[in-house]
Amino acid sequence: MSAVAAPADDVGMSMEAEEAELREIASRFKLTVEIITPATARAWLDTGGLQRPKKSAHLKDLADVMTARLWKLNGESIVFDDQGCLIDGQHRLEACVKSGVTIASVVVRGVPRDCFWSIDQSSRRTAGDVAGATGEKSHNAFA
C-alpha cells in the first residue's frame, strides 16, 4: 500500500493528471538522514502525532539492540506529517530515549496526515523471511 495515493474520488482522473498530482504531493516531502540524540527523540515524541499503543516487548527489543550498539542505519524512516507531528517511528524513538544511545535514521517530513492509516500495513519480516532471502534452504524452519 502506497503512502502517497491519488484521492479516491478522482477515479475518472487522467493518467497525466494523476501523475501531476502525485508529483505535487511528493514535492512537499523533505527527506534527510539525521543524528538523533535521546533528547531529540524525546522532543519528537512530544510533537503530539497520531500513534498506536506502545508495545512494551517491541520497545524493549529495540532498546536492547541500541544498547548493544547493534542498531543499523537501514533506510527505515521516522515520519512527520505536514503539521510537524510524528506519525511513524514511535518505538524507535522511545528505544533511543530508553537506551540513552544516539542513533542515525532517515527522517521524512511533510507527509499528508491522512496517510497515517497506510503506514506499517505490511506483514512483519520473520527470521524465516530473512533466512530465505539469504538462500537458506530450510528457511521455513525459522518462521
Side-chain angles (χ1 to χ4, degrees):
M1 190 169 287
S2 173
V4 179
D9 59 349
D10 289 339
V11 174
M13 184 183 292
S14 72
M15 186 181 302
E16 293 82 15
E18 185 175 337
E19 288 176 8
E21 182 176 5
L22 289 172
R23 279 190 201 89
E24 193 280 322
I25 292 168
S27 72
R28 296 184 229 152
F29 286 30
K30 179 183 177 192
L31 287 74
T32 57
V33 175
E34 299 185 31
I35 304 303
I36 305 166
T37 66
T40 298
R42 172 50 49 215
W44 289 358
L45 286 162
D46 292 340
T47 62
L50 301 169
Q51 295 297 320
R52 55 188 170 174
K54 290 181 194 171
K55 298 176 182 169
S56 58
H58 182 52
L59 174 57
K60 181 188 178 316
D61 290 345
L62 290 174
D64 289 349
V65 167
M66 290 176 189
T67 300
R69 303 296 201 262
L70 297 174
W71 184 256
K72 302 288 183 196
L73 173 61
N74 64 8
E76 191 170 3
S77 61
I78 305 292
V79 181
F80 292 90
D81 68 18
D82 49 12
Q83 297 173 31
C85 298
L86 180 71
I87 59 172
D88 189 35
Q90 169 191 19
H91 287 90
R92 285 167 276 149
L93 293 174
E94 289 282 1
C96 177
V97 171
K98 182 175 181 174
S99 68
V101 174
T102 296
I103 63 169
S105 181
V106 173
V107 178
V108 181
R109 291 182 173 83
V111 175
R113 178 168 276 216
D114 64 356
C115 289
F116 172 78
W117 67 268
S118 68
I119 296 172
D120 289 338
Q121 295 300 307
S122 302
S123 63
R124 186 176 175 140
R125 184 173 291 149
T126 66
D129 295 334
V130 174
T134 59
E136 175 64 45
K137 299 288 187 227
S138 58
H139 62 89
N140 286 330
F142 292 94

